[in-house]
Amino acid sequence: DTSLAEVNSFSPSMPISPSSMTNQYKFEDEPELRDLFITVDDPESHITAIETFITYRVVTKTSRGEFDSSEYEVRRRYQDFLWLKSKLEEAHPTLIIPPLPEKFVMKGMVERFSDDFIETRRKALHKFLNRIADHPTLTFNEDFKIFLTAQAWELSSHKKQGPGLLSRMGQTVRAVASSVRGGVKNRPEVFIEINDYVETFSQKINVLDKIAHRIYKEEREYLNEMKEYGPIHTLWSASEEDIADSLKGVASCIDKCCKATEKRMAGLSENLLPILHEYVLYSEILMGVLKRRDQIQGELDSKVDALANKKTEKDLFSEEIGKLEDKVECANNALKADWDRWKQNMQCDMRSTFTNMAENNLRYYEE
């Protein structure tokens, strides 16, 4: 399937079908398409009197002229990634900013600071930065460049220059106030369709996420039972000379099934679960982007209504309305372009993920 060629080269695990092998070579043969390469690796624990946290090494290689050097290496903690995401949302309210893994882990899944949790988060942070790097607009954001290049003290200094708490609270109050006033009038048909699509997508992806977790839980229970079941046959064979070989054969077979099941579970936890959950988070992000677009249009609608009701200050209102019309048009164009791009990436990710899962299942049943 040639459309798999769209799969991002930073995907943590590429499918191993013949078609995807071709795609892998295609990425290697066309390095000139990208001029910014980012790797997140080498997690490191830090323990202070106040807190315990993890930092990750972020290595950037680039041929872009606006960078002073061709290679950078910095260490970043999760809070720094959160800061970057908030700055991108602030600068580009109607673009689809990639999701970050949640700060807190769901109870019963994995322990915070466990090796599994840290590795899962590292992969997610790696994907987050590379999705930004591959985005035609976000990749040139100044805060993104500072995040990749500034030393820890420089980044800390830059963060302090951002809007203060009161300013941020003011923005939040305005946003809530505008959303309380009611839905926008005359929302363009294209955004009604996008909104309907996102609502349906959100429902379906949440169901898929729950089913995938249920499958993983059932597989884990099955594996635990098999691990107890195999040794029983080995012990049994010691007291049954006549059928000892047969019992050892069954024990060996169960052991092979255990190993195959472990591989299948690794495939689910590394390939399927993170992708589905990433798109659960994307569905929430999309709803937020659509609300922000509506808020911009709502501001324009309220000014138009105010102009119709006022006899004076028409020139002042007309100028404000002109600016707001430009703002709405920019917001609409940005979201429409990003929507098409996001939808294409999502379909490629889903196709790749489920093809990979099907191939893993075939191997599992063959084994």
Side-chain angles (χ1 to χ4, degrees):
D1 185 352
T2 52
S3 59
L4 277 171
E6 297 293 329
V7 176
N8 292 320
S9 59
F10 53 83
S11 185
S13 59
M14 295 292 289
I16 51 173
S17 62
S19 62
S20 62
M21 284 172 69
T22 308
N23 299 329
Q24 220 164 349
Y25 288 124
K26 182 174 179 181
F27 279 116
E28 288 167 4
D29 291 342
E30 298 176 2
E32 69 276 6
L33 296 177
R34 294 182 68 195
D35 56 6
L36 188 63
F37 298 86
I38 304 167
T39 307
V40 178
D41 61 10
D42 190 26
E44 196 175 276
S45 296
H46 300 262
I47 301 170
T48 68
I50 302 169
E51 60 179 341
T52 300
F53 60 94
I54 309 290
T55 62
Y56 301 85
R57 181 173 66 173
V58 179
V59 177
T60 304
K61 295 182 181 181
T62 183
S63 56
R64 289 186 187 173
E66 64 265 29
F67 285 82
D68 296 331
S69 174
S70 61
E71 189 167 339
Y72 294 88
E73 182 180 314
V74 295
R75 294 203 74 85
R76 297 286 181 255
R77 57 185 295 184
Y78 181 76
Q79 287 179 356
D80 299 327
F81 287 86
L82 277 178
W83 170 81
L84 173 61
K85 185 172 185 290
S86 70
K87 294 300 282 184
L88 292 172
E89 286 173 347
E90 188 183 304
H92 310 282
T94 55
L95 289 183
I96 302 166
I97 312 298
L100 274 172
E102 295 101 330
K103 185 168 185 179
F104 299 106
V105 189
M106 284 188 294
K107 194 175 178 182
M109 289 299 290
V110 286
E111 288 296 319
R112 196 174 171 222
F113 302 128
S114 72
D115 290 345
D116 287 346
F117 171 71
I118 292 169
E119 177 58 14
T120 300
R121 174 167 281 186
R122 182 201 66 76
K123 286 180 180 175
L125 297 176
H126 175 87
K127 182 180 273 193
F128 169 73
L129 292 183
N130 278 280
R131 284 206 190 279
I132 296 169
D134 281 356
H135 192 284
T137 304
L138 300 178
T139 188
F140 297 109
N141 178 276
E142 187 61 25
D143 289 306
F144 181 48
K145 180 187 167 189
I146 288 165
F147 177 91
L148 296 176
T149 60
Q151 290 307 309
W153 65 270
E154 293 174 307
L155 183 65
S156 179
S157 172
H158 181 73
K159 281 181 181 180
K160 289 171 185 172
Q161 295 169 16
L165 177 64
L166 291 175
S167 169
R168 290 200 300 275
M169 284 173 65
Q171 290 166 5
T172 306
V173 169
R174 282 198 298 277
V176 170
S178 64
S179 63
V180 166
R181 280 199 291 269
V184 293
K185 297 179 290 184
N186 308 317
R187 182 193 280 159
E189 185 67 30
V190 63
F191 296 110
I192 294 172
E193 289 173 10
I194 290 175
N195 195 69
D196 292 344
Y197 185 102
V198 170
E199 285 181 5
T200 306
F201 176 81
S202 178
Q203 291 167 4
K204 289 181 184 294
I205 201 72
N206 273 283
V207 169
L208 276 172
D209 188 51
K210 285 175 186 169
I211 291 170
H213 276 92
R214 193 174 72 219
I215 290 170
Y216 185 80
K217 185 185 171 193
E218 288 171 359
E219 285 287 306
R220 188 172 54 197
E221 289 168 357
Y222 172 56
L223 177 65
N224 291 337
E225 286 181 13
M226 274 202 298
K227 281 181 174 176
E228 292 177 11
Y229 194 50
I232 290 170
H233 286 76
T234 306
L235 291 169
W236 187 9
S237 68
S239 58
E240 294 281 359
E241 289 182 18
D242 293 347
I243 55 170
D245 291 343
S246 298
L247 290 170
K248 284 177 183 174
V250 172
S252 172
C253 176
I254 292 170
D255 184 54
K256 284 177 183 172
C257 288
C258 277
K259 286 173 181 168
T261 304
E262 280 180 326
K263 272 201 280 187
R264 186 183 189 215
M265 287 177 66
L268 287 170
S269 67
E270 290 171 18
N271 305 331
L272 180 67
L273 298 181
I275 295 289
L276 291 179
H277 194 64
E278 180 185 17
Y279 279 97
V280 167
L281 298 176
Y282 256 129
S283 68
E284 295 166 8
I285 286 166
L286 287 163
M287 287 174 178
V289 169
L290 286 165
K291 277 183 186 172
R292 288 195 288 273
R293 193 220 70 85
D294 284 354
Q295 283 164 9
I296 295 169
Q297 190 185 329
E299 202 177 341
L300 171 62
D301 291 345
S302 66
K303 288 287 180 189
V304 171
D305 290 345
L307 178 63
N309 296 332
K310 286 203 171 191
K311 307 281 191 229
T312 58
E313 301 175 14
K314 282 203 171 186
D315 291 343
L316 180 64
F317 267 99
S318 298
E319 187 181 336
E320 282 187 33
I321 286 169
K323 287 178 182 175
L324 282 169
E325 282 173 344
D326 290 344
K327 193 176 176 183
V328 169
E329 188 178 355
C330 287
N332 289 350
N333 291 339
L335 179 50
K336 278 191 279 191
D338 227 22
W339 170 251
D340 291 338
R341 185 178 177 278
W342 176 85
K343 204 170 167 184
Q344 189 179 12
N345 280 347
M346 179 271 290
Q347 288 166 347
C348 288
D349 280 348
M350 290 295 159
R351 187 184 297 113
S352 166
T353 298
F354 284 111
T355 303
N356 193 19
M357 183 182 161
E359 289 171 349
N360 282 342
N361 283 346
L362 282 170
R363 278 196 299 273
Y364 167 74
Y365 288 115
E366 283 170 357
E367 286 174 27

